[in-house]
Amino acid sequence: MIKADVVIIGAGAAGLMCAATAGQRGRSVVLIDHSKKLAEKIRISGGGRCNFTNINVRPECYISNNPHFVKSALKQYTQHDFIALVDKYGLTYHEKTLGQLFCDQNSQGIIDMLKAEVDLGEVTWRMETPVMQVEQIDGGFVVTTPTEVWHCESLVIASGGLSIPQIGATAFGYEIAKQFGLSIVPLAAALVPLTFQAEDLWTDLAGVAFENVVVSCENTSFREDILLTHKGVSGPAILQISSFWEAGKTIEIDLLPDMDLEDFFRSANRDSLLSNVLADILPKRFLHVWLAKYGEIRPLKQYSAKELQVISTELHQWQVKPSGTLGYKKAEVTRGGVDTDLLLSKTMMVRSVPGLYFIGEVVDVTGWLGGYNFQWAWSSGYVAGLNI
Ligand code: FDA
């Protein structure tokens, strides 16, 4: 049995930050990951450019059964702390939209930076190493891999969520939680495209995009772009709302949030066909399919005020009922996870199992799209790293 102060399972965003922080405090740390390549999710993130944080990070941008849980970690390690680290390594970045910061040196720049930070902490790396067993013993834990048995005081589970199993996501963290009797808030694919029944009008509209629309589900709304696809609908506003959507719920899309359509109709050429009038403000392909439900297309003047009101309402409050999502293969994150009521928010330690920590996406904390999930990984990894 080899002794170490800390074993961290999962060398992704949260595990790397945690290992660097603990190692630089002088703790002996072993970082274990079953993947061959380091931090694959960081590599593919942000279209390869890694949207590493958001300048507007605040607790309200996170979904969790306990919305207050994120406050402590986000305060102890802020977006500005991570930006300072990026600056220290001479990496440059730009704000794309809505406070989202992307690395000019691509994701690899962020991975290299984190690896350098971990190496500064003289951490022992064990890549391509599956974990066969975890046991609690007096004074700590025993972690068994095919070739080694580690004995540690603190054990950190940083194995992430279920999204993109093709690059190494597993249910490991949830299984360890169950082994220790911890409850899991139900899991679901989130930040994911939504699907519709094949017979819906969607299949004819694949490729049609709308900019700056408002998508709502119950009391939550996002204003960004959407894209109709062969299977349903995608784009940032849909990914955002998918984290709030559950089977059976309807979503509402306001395609023209800034426009008073009845006013627009009043000032339009009354002899023009309705399709031509609307073609100034909506994609023609969309109108071709959408207007079919109102019968033969006539000149604007032949529509009654009531008919135009119905059309306006439907364009402002398009009700769609998704049949599902594209699932974990296409989801950016997993909603739900280890119940935050069981963890100390200041340190991420399990209240009932001293020395056991859960960090990052495996915890029931899901950020909005736009750098929020990485910030959660950095912040939760850092606070655990300070305390293990
Ligand atoms: P992460 O998944 O990063 O790491 C988990 C590690 O555990 C992996 O290295 C894995 O190999 C390892 N592991 C899993 N099972 C194991 C086992 N059984 N044994 C050993 N090791 C195991 N977020 C954001 O803020 N900005 C962005 O731009 C993007 N973009 C983006 C794009 C795409 C396509 C996806 C899928 C996701 C994003 N995200 C994102 C989300 C972000 O990638 C995610 O929230 C963080 O990587 C979560 O960090 P974790 O460290 O918790 O898990």
Side-chain angles (χ1 to χ4, degrees), residues 9-15 32-35 39-42 44-46 50-52 102 129-131 158-161 163-164 167-170 172 331-333 359-362 370-375 377:
I9 302 174
I32 299 176
D33 198 297
H34 69 158
S35 292
E40 276 290 85
K41 260 195 205 159
I42 301 182
I44 63 168
S45 68
C50 189
N51 175 195
F52 58 82
F102 284 77
T129 304
V131 172
S159 52
S163 64
I164 324 285
I167 57 164
T170 71
F172 179 83
E332 287 204 7
V333 290
I359 58 173
E361 198 180 314
V362 70
Y372 298 95
N373 284 296
F374 277 139
Q375 186 59 46

mmCIF file of all heavy atoms in Angstrom, residues 9-15 32-35 39-42 44-46 50-52 102 129-131 158-161 163-164 167-170 172 331-333 359-362 370-375 377, ligand 1:
data_model
loop_
_atom_site.group_PDB
_atom_site.id
_atom_site.type_symbol
_atom_site.label_atom_id
_atom_site.label_comp_id
_atom_site.label_asym_id
_atom_site.label_seq_id
_atom_site.Cartn_x
_atom_site.Cartn_y
_atom_site.Cartn_z
ATOM 1 N N ILE A 9 -9.794 11.515 -8.042
ATOM 2 C CA ILE A 9 -10.187 10.675 -9.188
ATOM 3 C C ILE A 9 -10.904 11.556 -10.207
ATOM 4 O O ILE A 9 -11.975 12.099 -9.938
ATOM 5 C CB ILE A 9 -11.071 9.490 -8.734
ATOM 6 C CG1 ILE A 9 -10.306 8.652 -7.691
ATOM 7 C CG2 ILE A 9 -11.449 8.628 -9.948
ATOM 8 C CD1 ILE A 9 -11.123 7.542 -7.052
ATOM 9 N N GLY A 10 -10.270 11.695 -11.371
ATOM 10 C CA GLY A 10 -10.790 12.558 -12.438
ATOM 11 C C GLY A 10 -9.868 13.753 -12.650
ATOM 12 O O GLY A 10 -9.785 14.637 -11.797
ATOM 13 N N ALA A 11 -9.144 13.734 -13.782
ATOM 14 C CA ALA A 11 -8.214 14.848 -14.086
ATOM 15 C C ALA A 11 -8.834 15.743 -15.147
ATOM 16 O O ALA A 11 -8.219 16.039 -16.172
ATOM 17 C CB ALA A 11 -6.865 14.303 -14.532
ATOM 18 N N GLY A 12 -10.094 16.150 -14.905
ATOM 19 C CA GLY A 12 -10.741 17.118 -15.785
ATOM 20 C C GLY A 12 -10.582 18.503 -15.179
ATOM 21 O O GLY A 12 -9.655 18.755 -14.390
ATOM 22 N N ALA A 13 -11.501 19.395 -15.512
ATOM 23 C CA ALA A 13 -11.386 20.784 -15.071
ATOM 24 C C ALA A 13 -11.283 20.898 -13.544
ATOM 25 O O ALA A 13 -10.357 21.527 -13.013
ATOM 26 C CB ALA A 13 -12.600 21.562 -15.585
ATOM 27 N N ALA A 14 -12.212 20.278 -12.831
ATOM 28 C CA ALA A 14 -12.233 20.424 -11.368
ATOM 29 C C ALA A 14 -11.056 19.694 -10.718
ATOM 30 O O ALA A 14 -10.413 20.218 -9.805
ATOM 31 C CB ALA A 14 -13.562 19.896 -10.824
ATOM 32 N N GLY A 15 -10.773 18.478 -11.203
ATOM 33 C CA GLY A 15 -9.690 17.676 -10.613
ATOM 34 C C GLY A 15 -8.340 18.351 -10.786
ATOM 35 O O GLY A 15 -7.505 18.346 -9.860
ATOM 36 N N ILE A 32 -5.686 10.584 -10.518
ATOM 37 C CA ILE A 32 -5.950 9.371 -11.305
ATOM 38 C C ILE A 32 -7.031 9.651 -12.350
ATOM 39 O O ILE A 32 -8.073 10.240 -12.033
ATOM 40 C CB ILE A 32 -6.439 8.218 -10.381
ATOM 41 C CG1 ILE A 32 -5.364 7.882 -9.342
ATOM 42 C CG2 ILE A 32 -6.804 6.982 -11.201
ATOM 43 C CD1 ILE A 32 -5.808 6.814 -8.331
ATOM 44 N N ASP A 33 -6.810 9.215 -13.591
ATOM 45 C CA ASP A 33 -7.850 9.336 -14.620
ATOM 46 C C ASP A 33 -7.752 8.121 -15.529
ATOM 47 O O ASP A 33 -6.652 7.665 -15.843
ATOM 48 C CB ASP A 33 -7.651 10.618 -15.438
ATOM 49 C CG ASP A 33 -8.919 11.013 -16.188
ATOM 50 O OD1 ASP A 33 -9.366 10.233 -17.074
ATOM 51 O OD2 ASP A 33 -9.475 12.089 -15.885
ATOM 52 N N HIS A 34 -8.902 7.623 -15.957
ATOM 53 C CA HIS A 34 -8.882 6.425 -16.806
ATOM 54 C C HIS A 34 -8.606 6.754 -18.282
ATOM 55 O O HIS A 34 -8.327 5.865 -19.067
ATOM 56 C CB HIS A 34 -10.183 5.626 -16.660
ATOM 57 C CG HIS A 34 -11.386 6.306 -17.236
ATOM 58 N ND1 HIS A 34 -12.515 5.613 -17.600
ATOM 59 C CD2 HIS A 34 -11.631 7.608 -17.496
ATOM 60 C CE1 HIS A 34 -13.405 6.480 -18.065
ATOM 61 N NE2 HIS A 34 -12.898 7.684 -18.011
ATOM 62 N N SER A 35 -8.687 8.037 -18.638
ATOM 63 C CA SER A 35 -8.511 8.392 -20.054
ATOM 64 C C SER A 35 -7.043 8.439 -20.445
ATOM 65 O O SER A 35 -6.172 8.650 -19.615
ATOM 66 C CB SER A 35 -9.118 9.769 -20.321
ATOM 67 O OG SER A 35 -10.501 9.696 -20.195
ATOM 68 N N ALA A 39 -7.890 15.860 -20.053
ATOM 69 C CA ALA A 39 -8.890 16.938 -20.103
ATOM 70 C C ALA A 39 -9.547 17.097 -21.475
ATOM 71 O O ALA A 39 -9.590 18.185 -22.038
ATOM 72 C CB ALA A 39 -8.254 18.253 -19.655
ATOM 73 N N GLU A 40 -10.080 15.994 -21.950
ATOM 74 C CA GLU A 40 -10.713 16.021 -23.273
ATOM 75 C C GLU A 40 -11.879 17.005 -23.360
ATOM 76 O O GLU A 40 -12.124 17.606 -24.389
ATOM 77 C CB GLU A 40 -11.220 14.613 -23.619
ATOM 78 C CG GLU A 40 -10.161 13.718 -24.211
ATOM 79 C CD GLU A 40 -9.762 14.159 -25.614
ATOM 80 O OE1 GLU A 40 -8.891 15.057 -25.729
ATOM 81 O OE2 GLU A 40 -10.293 13.614 -26.580
ATOM 82 N N LYS A 41 -12.589 17.153 -22.245
ATOM 83 C CA LYS A 41 -13.752 18.070 -22.305
ATOM 84 C C LYS A 41 -13.310 19.512 -22.412
ATOM 85 O O LYS A 41 -13.967 20.320 -23.053
ATOM 86 C CB LYS A 41 -14.660 17.877 -21.099
ATOM 87 C CG LYS A 41 -15.822 17.021 -21.489
ATOM 88 C CD LYS A 41 -16.932 17.053 -20.529
ATOM 89 C CE LYS A 41 -17.676 15.752 -20.720
ATOM 90 N NZ LYS A 41 -18.469 15.406 -19.566
ATOM 91 N N ILE A 42 -12.190 19.825 -21.786
ATOM 92 C CA ILE A 42 -11.686 21.201 -21.956
ATOM 93 C C ILE A 42 -11.284 21.369 -23.423
ATOM 94 O O ILE A 42 -11.565 22.389 -24.045
ATOM 95 C CB ILE A 42 -10.489 21.497 -21.025
ATOM 96 C CG1 ILE A 42 -10.885 21.303 -19.561
ATOM 97 C CG2 ILE A 42 -9.970 22.917 -21.275
ATOM 98 C CD1 ILE A 42 -9.777 21.615 -18.555
ATOM 99 N N ILE A 44 -12.438 20.017 -26.181
ATOM 100 C CA ILE A 44 -13.526 20.212 -27.160
ATOM 101 C C ILE A 44 -14.430 21.397 -26.801
ATOM 102 O O ILE A 44 -15.315 21.749 -27.565
ATOM 103 C CB ILE A 44 -14.391 18.934 -27.332
ATOM 104 C CG1 ILE A 44 -15.110 18.571 -26.026
ATOM 105 C CG2 ILE A 44 -13.556 17.780 -27.837
ATOM 106 C CD1 ILE A 44 -16.186 17.512 -26.216
ATOM 107 N N SER A 45 -14.184 21.997 -25.645
ATOM 108 C CA SER A 45 -15.122 23.035 -25.176
ATOM 109 C C SER A 45 -15.060 24.293 -26.030
ATOM 110 O O SER A 45 -14.025 24.597 -26.636
ATOM 111 C CB SER A 45 -14.808 23.399 -23.728
ATOM 112 O OG SER A 45 -13.564 24.055 -23.659
ATOM 113 N N GLY A 46 -16.184 24.991 -26.045
ATOM 114 C CA GLY A 46 -16.264 26.271 -26.762
ATOM 115 C C GLY A 46 -15.818 26.147 -28.202
ATOM 116 O O GLY A 46 -15.144 27.048 -28.720
ATOM 117 N N CYS A 50 -12.450 26.979 -25.772
ATOM 118 C CA CYS A 50 -12.653 27.012 -24.323
ATOM 119 C C CYS A 50 -13.192 28.346 -23.805
ATOM 120 O O CYS A 50 -12.444 29.293 -23.587
ATOM 121 C CB CYS A 50 -11.375 26.652 -23.574
ATOM 122 S SG CYS A 50 -11.674 26.449 -21.810
ATOM 123 N N ASN A 51 -14.478 28.347 -23.597
ATOM 124 C CA ASN A 51 -15.131 29.500 -22.946
ATOM 125 C C ASN A 51 -14.912 29.280 -21.446
ATOM 126 O O ASN A 51 -15.722 28.679 -20.769
ATOM 127 C CB ASN A 51 -16.612 29.482 -23.332
ATOM 128 C CG ASN A 51 -17.432 30.531 -22.643
ATOM 129 O OD1 ASN A 51 -18.651 30.445 -22.644
ATOM 130 N ND2 ASN A 51 -16.802 31.524 -22.057
ATOM 131 N N PHE A 52 -13.746 29.771 -20.964
ATOM 132 C CA PHE A 52 -13.237 29.316 -19.665
ATOM 133 C C PHE A 52 -13.912 29.954 -18.461
ATOM 134 O O PHE A 52 -13.840 29.450 -17.352
ATOM 135 C CB PHE A 52 -11.719 29.497 -19.584
ATOM 136 C CG PHE A 52 -11.246 30.909 -19.798
ATOM 137 C CD1 PHE A 52 -11.255 31.830 -18.770
ATOM 138 C CD2 PHE A 52 -10.774 31.304 -21.043
ATOM 139 C CE1 PHE A 52 -10.809 33.127 -18.971
ATOM 140 C CE2 PHE A 52 -10.327 32.608 -21.255
ATOM 141 C CZ PHE A 52 -10.351 33.524 -20.212
ATOM 142 N N PHE A 102 -13.295 33.645 -24.139
ATOM 143 C CA PHE A 102 -12.707 32.538 -24.916
ATOM 144 C C PHE A 102 -11.201 32.749 -25.015
ATOM 145 O O PHE A 102 -10.733 33.880 -25.157
ATOM 146 C CB PHE A 102 -13.298 32.498 -26.333
ATOM 147 C CG PHE A 102 -14.689 31.945 -26.385
ATOM 148 C CD1 PHE A 102 -15.771 32.715 -25.996
ATOM 149 C CD2 PHE A 102 -14.925 30.653 -26.831
ATOM 150 C CE1 PHE A 102 -17.069 32.210 -26.040
ATOM 151 C CE2 PHE A 102 -16.209 30.136 -26.889
ATOM 152 C CZ PHE A 102 -17.287 30.914 -26.490
ATOM 153 N N THR A 129 -5.602 4.997 -16.028
ATOM 154 C CA THR A 129 -5.646 4.155 -14.834
ATOM 155 C C THR A 129 -7.081 4.052 -14.316
ATOM 156 O O THR A 129 -7.600 5.020 -13.733
ATOM 157 C CB THR A 129 -4.738 4.759 -13.731
ATOM 158 O OG1 THR A 129 -3.427 4.905 -14.270
ATOM 159 C CG2 THR A 129 -4.703 3.892 -12.501
ATOM 160 N N PRO A 130 -7.748 2.955 -14.545
ATOM 161 C CA PRO A 130 -9.096 2.805 -13.984
ATOM 162 C C PRO A 130 -9.033 2.541 -12.479
ATOM 163 O O PRO A 130 -8.038 2.025 -11.978
ATOM 164 C CB PRO A 130 -9.647 1.580 -14.721
ATOM 165 C CG PRO A 130 -8.459 0.837 -15.206
ATOM 166 C CD PRO A 130 -7.313 1.801 -15.325
ATOM 167 N N VAL A 131 -10.088 2.936 -11.787
ATOM 168 C CA VAL A 131 -10.159 2.666 -10.342
ATOM 169 C C VAL A 131 -11.063 1.459 -10.154
ATOM 170 O O VAL A 131 -12.194 1.436 -10.639
ATOM 171 C CB VAL A 131 -10.705 3.892 -9.587
ATOM 172 C CG1 VAL A 131 -10.965 3.555 -8.123
ATOM 173 C CG2 VAL A 131 -9.731 5.058 -9.702
ATOM 174 N N ALA A 158 -13.863 13.670 -8.701
ATOM 175 C CA ALA A 158 -13.957 14.761 -9.694
ATOM 176 C C ALA A 158 -14.172 14.147 -11.072
ATOM 177 O O ALA A 158 -13.578 14.578 -12.058
ATOM 178 C CB ALA A 158 -12.670 15.581 -9.672
ATOM 179 N N SER A 159 -15.023 13.121 -11.114
ATOM 180 C CA SER A 159 -15.140 12.334 -12.354
ATOM 181 C C SER A 159 -16.214 12.866 -13.298
ATOM 182 O O SER A 159 -16.506 12.240 -14.313
ATOM 183 C CB SER A 159 -15.404 10.860 -12.011
ATOM 184 O OG SER A 159 -16.495 10.766 -11.133
ATOM 185 N N GLY A 160 -16.790 14.024 -13.012
ATOM 186 C CA GLY A 160 -17.677 14.699 -13.958
ATOM 187 C C GLY A 160 -19.035 14.027 -14.118
ATOM 188 O O GLY A 160 -19.419 13.145 -13.336
ATOM 189 N N GLY A 161 -19.763 14.475 -15.157
ATOM 190 C CA GLY A 161 -21.115 13.980 -15.403
ATOM 191 C C GLY A 161 -21.138 12.941 -16.516
ATOM 192 O O GLY A 161 -20.111 12.344 -16.850
ATOM 193 N N SER A 163 -22.256 13.422 -19.746
ATOM 194 C CA SER A 163 -22.310 13.859 -21.142
ATOM 195 C C SER A 163 -21.046 13.494 -21.911
ATOM 196 O O SER A 163 -19.951 13.501 -21.353
ATOM 197 C CB SER A 163 -22.564 15.370 -21.214
ATOM 198 O OG SER A 163 -21.499 16.054 -20.640
ATOM 199 N N ILE A 164 -21.248 13.159 -23.149
ATOM 200 C CA ILE A 164 -20.205 12.745 -24.109
ATOM 201 C C ILE A 164 -19.437 11.507 -23.603
ATOM 202 O O ILE A 164 -18.226 11.564 -23.329
ATOM 203 C CB ILE A 164 -19.232 13.896 -24.482
ATOM 204 C CG1 ILE A 164 -19.953 15.237 -24.566
ATOM 205 C CG2 ILE A 164 -18.510 13.584 -25.790
ATOM 206 C CD1 ILE A 164 -20.811 15.477 -25.776
ATOM 207 N N ILE A 167 -15.955 10.341 -25.010
ATOM 208 C CA ILE A 167 -14.616 10.802 -24.598
ATOM 209 C C ILE A 167 -14.375 10.559 -23.104
ATOM 210 O O ILE A 167 -13.598 11.265 -22.470
ATOM 211 C CB ILE A 167 -14.355 12.286 -24.972
ATOM 212 C CG1 ILE A 167 -15.425 13.207 -24.366
ATOM 213 C CG2 ILE A 167 -14.253 12.482 -26.468
ATOM 214 C CD1 ILE A 167 -15.025 14.679 -24.357
ATOM 215 N N GLY A 168 -15.046 9.544 -22.566
ATOM 216 C CA GLY A 168 -14.633 9.099 -21.234
ATOM 217 C C GLY A 168 -15.557 9.391 -20.076
ATOM 218 O O GLY A 168 -15.206 9.099 -18.935
ATOM 219 N N ALA A 169 -16.751 9.962 -20.344
ATOM 220 C CA ALA A 169 -17.661 10.215 -19.218
ATOM 221 C C ALA A 169 -18.218 8.885 -18.700
ATOM 222 O O ALA A 169 -18.575 8.009 -19.483
ATOM 223 C CB ALA A 169 -18.801 11.123 -19.670
ATOM 224 N N THR A 170 -18.279 8.756 -17.390
ATOM 225 C CA THR A 170 -18.846 7.547 -16.782
ATOM 226 C C THR A 170 -19.705 7.937 -15.569
ATOM 227 O O THR A 170 -19.651 9.076 -15.099
ATOM 228 C CB THR A 170 -17.741 6.591 -16.255
ATOM 229 O OG1 THR A 170 -17.137 7.207 -15.095
ATOM 230 C CG2 THR A 170 -16.685 6.288 -17.298
ATOM 231 N N PHE A 172 -19.156 6.889 -12.692
ATOM 232 C CA PHE A 172 -18.322 6.530 -11.541
ATOM 233 C C PHE A 172 -18.668 7.333 -10.275
ATOM 234 O O PHE A 172 -18.846 6.782 -9.198
ATOM 235 C CB PHE A 172 -16.841 6.730 -11.910
ATOM 236 C CG PHE A 172 -15.900 6.406 -10.799
ATOM 237 C CD1 PHE A 172 -15.503 5.107 -10.565
ATOM 238 C CD2 PHE A 172 -15.418 7.409 -9.955
ATOM 239 C CE1 PHE A 172 -14.628 4.807 -9.526
ATOM 240 C CE2 PHE A 172 -14.561 7.121 -8.910
ATOM 241 C CZ PHE A 172 -14.159 5.821 -8.695
ATOM 242 N N ALA A 331 -25.254 16.375 -25.147
ATOM 243 C CA ALA A 331 -25.431 17.363 -24.065
ATOM 244 C C ALA A 331 -24.088 17.919 -23.616
ATOM 245 O O ALA A 331 -23.089 17.208 -23.594
ATOM 246 C CB ALA A 331 -26.123 16.697 -22.879
ATOM 247 N N GLU A 332 -24.064 19.195 -23.238
ATOM 248 C CA GLU A 332 -22.820 19.758 -22.690
ATOM 249 C C GLU A 332 -22.641 19.367 -21.234
ATOM 250 O O GLU A 332 -21.524 19.242 -20.772
ATOM 251 C CB GLU A 332 -22.789 21.278 -22.841
ATOM 252 C CG GLU A 332 -22.559 21.687 -24.274
ATOM 253 C CD GLU A 332 -21.946 23.070 -24.432
ATOM 254 O OE1 GLU A 332 -21.567 23.691 -23.434
ATOM 255 O OE2 GLU A 332 -21.885 23.519 -25.580
ATOM 256 N N VAL A 333 -23.732 19.209 -20.525
ATOM 257 C CA VAL A 333 -23.607 18.888 -19.096
ATOM 258 C C VAL A 333 -24.725 17.950 -18.626
ATOM 259 O O VAL A 333 -25.693 17.703 -19.344
ATOM 260 C CB VAL A 333 -23.650 20.161 -18.209
ATOM 261 C CG1 VAL A 333 -22.403 21.002 -18.371
ATOM 262 C CG2 VAL A 333 -24.897 20.979 -18.471
ATOM 263 N N ILE A 359 -16.520 17.279 -6.246
ATOM 264 C CA ILE A 359 -16.358 18.614 -6.858
ATOM 265 C C ILE A 359 -16.762 18.572 -8.334
ATOM 266 O O ILE A 359 -16.808 17.503 -8.947
ATOM 267 C CB ILE A 359 -14.889 19.117 -6.747
ATOM 268 C CG1 ILE A 359 -13.906 18.127 -7.412
ATOM 269 C CG2 ILE A 359 -14.509 19.351 -5.299
ATOM 270 C CD1 ILE A 359 -12.467 18.649 -7.479
ATOM 271 N N GLY A 360 -17.038 19.727 -8.890
ATOM 272 C CA GLY A 360 -17.326 19.834 -10.318
ATOM 273 C C GLY A 360 -18.721 19.361 -10.676
ATOM 274 O O GLY A 360 -19.670 19.446 -9.884
ATOM 275 N N GLU A 361 -18.836 18.814 -11.873
ATOM 276 C CA GLU A 361 -20.149 18.522 -12.447
ATOM 277 C C GLU A 361 -20.872 17.357 -11.782
ATOM 278 O O GLU A 361 -22.099 17.240 -11.900
ATOM 279 C CB GLU A 361 -19.938 18.221 -13.941
ATOM 280 C CG GLU A 361 -21.188 18.320 -14.753
ATOM 281 C CD GLU A 361 -20.916 18.014 -16.215
ATOM 282 O OE1 GLU A 361 -19.931 18.528 -16.777
ATOM 283 O OE2 GLU A 361 -21.700 17.251 -16.787
ATOM 284 N N VAL A 362 -20.157 16.496 -11.081
ATOM 285 C CA VAL A 362 -20.799 15.351 -10.427
ATOM 286 C C VAL A 362 -21.762 15.819 -9.318
ATOM 287 O O VAL A 362 -22.668 15.097 -8.913
ATOM 288 C CB VAL A 362 -19.715 14.370 -9.882
ATOM 289 C CG1 VAL A 362 -18.965 14.964 -8.695
ATOM 290 C CG2 VAL A 362 -20.315 13.022 -9.527
ATOM 291 N N GLY A 370 -22.143 29.292 -21.264
ATOM 292 C CA GLY A 370 -21.389 30.548 -21.381
ATOM 293 C C GLY A 370 -20.208 30.677 -20.442
ATOM 294 O O GLY A 370 -19.870 31.796 -20.051
ATOM 295 N N GLY A 371 -19.583 29.557 -20.047
ATOM 296 C CA GLY A 371 -18.405 29.634 -19.178
ATOM 297 C C GLY A 371 -18.724 29.402 -17.716
ATOM 298 O O GLY A 371 -17.822 29.318 -16.888
ATOM 299 N N TYR A 372 -19.997 29.293 -17.392
ATOM 300 C CA TYR A 372 -20.407 29.145 -15.991
ATOM 301 C C TYR A 372 -20.030 27.769 -15.428
ATOM 302 O O TYR A 372 -19.727 27.632 -14.247
ATOM 303 C CB TYR A 372 -21.921 29.365 -15.847
ATOM 304 C CG TYR A 372 -22.343 30.756 -16.245
ATOM 305 C CD1 TYR A 372 -22.805 31.028 -17.530
ATOM 306 C CD2 TYR A 372 -22.258 31.808 -15.335
ATOM 307 C CE1 TYR A 372 -23.180 32.310 -17.898
ATOM 308 C CE2 TYR A 372 -22.632 33.091 -15.698
ATOM 309 C CZ TYR A 372 -23.088 33.344 -16.984
ATOM 310 O OH TYR A 372 -23.449 34.613 -17.343
ATOM 311 N N ASN A 373 -20.080 26.741 -16.284
ATOM 312 C CA ASN A 373 -19.773 25.403 -15.768
ATOM 313 C C ASN A 373 -18.293 25.246 -15.465
ATOM 314 O O ASN A 373 -17.931 24.637 -14.452
ATOM 315 C CB ASN A 373 -20.293 24.335 -16.730
ATOM 316 C CG ASN A 373 -21.796 24.216 -16.595
ATOM 317 O OD1 ASN A 373 -22.298 23.829 -15.538
ATOM 318 N ND2 ASN A 373 -22.524 24.618 -17.629
ATOM 319 N N PHE A 374 -17.430 25.812 -16.316
ATOM 320 C CA PHE A 374 -16.005 25.758 -15.973
ATOM 321 C C PHE A 374 -15.733 26.549 -14.696
ATOM 322 O O PHE A 374 -14.953 26.118 -13.855
ATOM 323 C CB PHE A 374 -15.140 26.280 -17.124
ATOM 324 C CG PHE A 374 -14.863 25.228 -18.169
ATOM 325 C CD1 PHE A 374 -14.886 25.548 -19.522
ATOM 326 C CD2 PHE A 374 -14.572 23.917 -17.810
ATOM 327 C CE1 PHE A 374 -14.635 24.577 -20.484
ATOM 328 C CE2 PHE A 374 -14.320 22.943 -18.762
ATOM 329 C CZ PHE A 374 -14.350 23.272 -20.108
ATOM 330 N N GLN A 375 -16.382 27.702 -14.540
ATOM 331 C CA GLN A 375 -16.121 28.472 -13.321
ATOM 332 C C GLN A 375 -16.503 27.658 -12.085
ATOM 333 O O GLN A 375 -15.805 27.702 -11.075
ATOM 334 C CB GLN A 375 -16.857 29.819 -13.340
ATOM 335 C CG GLN A 375 -16.500 30.705 -12.168
ATOM 336 C CD GLN A 375 -14.994 31.026 -12.085
ATOM 337 O OE1 GLN A 375 -14.372 31.362 -13.098
ATOM 338 N NE2 GLN A 375 -14.402 30.915 -10.897
ATOM 339 N N ALA A 377 -16.340 24.409 -11.885
ATOM 340 C CA ALA A 377 -15.273 23.409 -11.739
ATOM 341 C C ALA A 377 -14.054 24.049 -11.062
ATOM 342 O O ALA A 377 -13.475 23.485 -10.123
ATOM 343 C CB ALA A 377 -14.893 22.837 -13.104
HETATM 344 P P1 FDA B 1 -14.748 16.687 -16.550
HETATM 345 O O1 FDA B 1 -15.682 15.943 -17.420
HETATM 346 O O2 FDA B 1 -14.042 17.868 -17.075
HETATM 347 O O3 FDA B 1 -13.641 15.686 -15.993
HETATM 348 C C1 FDA B 1 -13.949 14.425 -15.480
HETATM 349 C C2 FDA B 1 -12.719 13.555 -15.616
HETATM 350 O O4 FDA B 1 -12.981 12.326 -14.946
HETATM 351 C C3 FDA B 1 -12.417 13.194 -17.063
HETATM 352 O O5 FDA B 1 -11.054 13.449 -17.340
HETATM 353 C C4 FDA B 1 -12.733 11.700 -17.163
HETATM 354 O O6 FDA B 1 -11.850 11.012 -18.040
HETATM 355 C C5 FDA B 1 -12.509 11.251 -15.713
HETATM 356 N N1 FDA B 1 -13.271 10.055 -15.379
HETATM 357 C C6 FDA B 1 -14.572 9.793 -15.632
HETATM 358 N N2 FDA B 1 -14.892 8.583 -15.178
HETATM 359 C C7 FDA B 1 -13.758 8.064 -14.603
HETATM 360 C C8 FDA B 1 -13.455 6.821 -13.989
HETATM 361 N N3 FDA B 1 -14.394 5.866 -13.868
HETATM 362 N N4 FDA B 1 -12.198 6.625 -13.547
HETATM 363 C C9 FDA B 1 -11.249 7.579 -13.700
HETATM 364 N N5 FDA B 1 -11.480 8.759 -14.287
HETATM 365 C C10 FDA B 1 -12.724 8.999 -14.733
HETATM 366 N N6 FDA B 1 -18.335 24.574 -19.991
HETATM 367 C C11 FDA B 1 -17.955 25.870 -19.985
HETATM 368 O O7 FDA B 1 -17.975 26.495 -18.933
HETATM 369 N N7 FDA B 1 -17.540 26.468 -21.142
HETATM 370 C C12 FDA B 1 -17.504 25.814 -22.342
HETATM 371 O O8 FDA B 1 -17.052 26.353 -23.358
HETATM 372 C C13 FDA B 1 -17.965 24.476 -22.364
HETATM 373 N N8 FDA B 1 -18.047 23.785 -23.540
HETATM 374 C C14 FDA B 1 -18.432 22.477 -23.546
HETATM 375 C C15 FDA B 1 -18.518 21.789 -24.753
HETATM 376 C C16 FDA B 1 -18.890 20.456 -24.773
HETATM 377 C C17 FDA B 1 -19.024 19.731 -26.091
HETATM 378 C C18 FDA B 1 -19.138 19.781 -23.544
HETATM 379 C C19 FDA B 1 -19.488 18.319 -23.522
HETATM 380 C C20 FDA B 1 -19.076 20.473 -22.346
HETATM 381 C C21 FDA B 1 -18.733 21.819 -22.319
HETATM 382 N N9 FDA B 1 -18.693 22.541 -21.131
HETATM 383 C C22 FDA B 1 -18.325 23.866 -21.154
HETATM 384 C C23 FDA B 1 -18.979 21.891 -19.835
HETATM 385 C C24 FDA B 1 -17.657 21.552 -19.114
HETATM 386 O O9 FDA B 1 -16.820 20.848 -20.010
HETATM 387 C C25 FDA B 1 -17.911 20.703 -17.878
HETATM 388 O O10 FDA B 1 -18.894 21.303 -17.074
HETATM 389 C C26 FDA B 1 -16.623 20.553 -17.058
HETATM 390 O O11 FDA B 1 -15.640 19.923 -17.841
HETATM 391 C C27 FDA B 1 -16.880 19.740 -15.802
HETATM 392 O O12 FDA B 1 -15.666 19.585 -15.139
HETATM 393 P P2 FDA B 1 -15.410 18.280 -14.255
HETATM 394 O O13 FDA B 1 -13.966 18.338 -13.857
HETATM 395 O O14 FDA B 1 -16.422 18.136 -13.213
HETATM 396 O O15 FDA B 1 -15.603 17.056 -15.259
#
